[in-house]
Amino acid sequence: MVGLLVLLVAFTRLHAAAGTDAAAATANAVALQSIERGLHLGVERGANHWLAGHLLLSHLAVYFYRLYYLAIAGVLLWVYLRHAAVYRHVRRTMVAMLLLILPVYWAVPMSPPRFALPGVVDIVALYDLFGDASTDTTNGQNHYSAMPSLHVGWSLWCAYAAWTALRPARPRLALLPWLFPLLMAATVLTTGNHYVLDIAGSVVLLLAAVAAALLWHRLVASGGVRPATPDGGAPAVAGPGATPDSGAPAVAGPGATPDSGAPAVAGPGVPPKVRRRWRPSLRSRPGRRGWGGG
């Protein structure tokens, strides 16, 4: 858990430093808008104007947009404490997302619709909980990382983690967490923070992260790690004299006894252990008292 927190802090720093070229980000946004028009997906302006006409929904959208970090922390802690069997997999999925998304932000900076699409109302800036954090490009945040949407990406991870934990015992309840990324997709689209293709990019990011986590698991499982002995020690190399039914294998030399209760280590200079053959004593011979002779 501590290592994951350190990685998240490092990711925050690298994300803030990635793709800060405003001109390149605007050019990439214009190209993306052209692709969306060709695919008839350019709905950002209309959806944004609809939300701007509903004051209460606008406030709720801003709260939802800003406070979703609490959901990420809560899901991570819940899986860690209550569903330890799947924690390692969902943690690896999160790490894979962090590692996969950073090169994209560095290589393809992208201005959000509120910056690059004329007529879009910056709803988060109007009702923000953190003042002018949404518009201040000098506050150390990365405002040019629209592709893919990190808000949608993290909400998809939350839904996937909860679905993975709940599916074995409660398959119907496991479908409920997927409402979270659907609501987040609607929020980022209507507030002017992301394009439709940004949301599609987040879905691709999650699928790639899950595939990377599964591949990671297979590599660890087939990495040639030798299992430990039942008592916690490392496995030993058994020689010709080791007993197959002993608790742990041992290295035996020429002088080790093959029928002893426990394996022994013997060399040429150690005499073999001689087992004495049982012979009846005088008291236990027939005709003596105690042998049935009276």
Side-chain angles (χ1 to χ4, degrees), residues 16-292:
T20 57
D21 188 347
T26 301
N28 292 331
V30 171
L32 185 67
Q33 294 170 22
S34 177
I35 295 174
E36 286 196 344
R37 285 194 298 268
L39 297 174
H40 304 286
L41 296 176
V43 300
E44 293 86 2
R45 187 185 289 109
N48 174 258
H49 289 173
W50 176 86
L51 181 63
H54 297 78
L55 182 61
L56 178 60
L57 291 179
S58 296
H59 280 280
L60 293 176
V62 173
Y63 278 97
F64 188 67
Y65 180 83
R66 285 302 190 189
L67 299 179
Y68 87 112
Y69 295 103
L70 299 178
I72 300 173
V75 170
L76 183 63
L77 186 62
W78 172 69
V79 174
Y80 176 75
L81 295 177
R82 301 294 301 273
H83 300 275
V86 301
Y87 170 73
R88 180 173 296 180
H89 172 68
V90 297
R91 182 191 62 188
R92 288 173 176 171
T93 304
M94 173 181 280
V95 173
M97 286 183 64
L98 296 176
L99 298 179
L100 289 172
I101 199 173
L102 272 178
V104 178
Y105 286 159
W106 279 92
V108 189
M110 183 77 64
S111 292
R114 57 192 175 90
F115 285 169
L117 190 59
V120 169
V121 180
D122 192 346
I123 294 179
V124 174
L126 289 177
Y127 312 110
D128 201 352
L129 302 176
F130 306 113
D132 59 351
S134 177
T135 56
D136 186 4
T137 58
T138 63
N139 58 4
Q141 297 181 5
N142 188 346
H143 296 272
Y144 305 108
S145 57
M147 170 61 81
S149 170
L150 195 57
H151 276 71
V152 176
W154 283 133
S155 61
L156 282 169
W157 175 88
C158 289
Y160 176 74
W163 175 76
T164 304
L166 294 174
R167 184 181 53 161
R170 300 179 179 179
R172 293 184 179 179
L173 184 62
L175 298 176
L176 190 61
W178 292 106
L179 292 176
F180 182 41
L182 290 177
L183 290 174
M184 183 58 71
T187 299
V188 299
L189 192 65
T190 55
T191 54
N193 281 278
H194 288 283
Y195 304 94
V196 173
L197 291 182
D198 296 341
I199 299 171
S202 301
V203 176
V204 174
L205 173 65
L206 177 68
L207 294 177
V210 172
L214 293 175
L215 179 60
W216 188 348
H217 172 72
R218 291 181 181 178
L219 291 176
V220 171
S222 62
V225 180
R226 304 178 67 179
T229 56
D231 59 352
V237 179
T243 57
D245 56 348
S246 59
V251 179
T257 58
D259 57 349
S260 57
V265 179
V270 180
K273 182 179 179 180
V274 180
R275 297 183 62 182
R276 297 181 59 185
R277 181 176 300 177
W278 178 84
R279 293 184 179 183
S281 63
L282 293 177
R283 294 184 178 181
S284 61
R285 290 179 180 177
R288 306 293 294 181
R289 180 171 300 179
W291 185 265

Side-chain angles (χ1 to χ4, degrees), residues 1-14 91 94-96 98-99:
M1 181 67 76
V2 176
L4 183 59
L5 293 177
V6 172
L7 180 61
L8 288 172
V9 172
F11 171 81
T12 302
R13 299 291 181 87
L14 293 175
R91 182 191 62 188
M94 173 181 280
V95 173
L98 296 176
L99 298 179

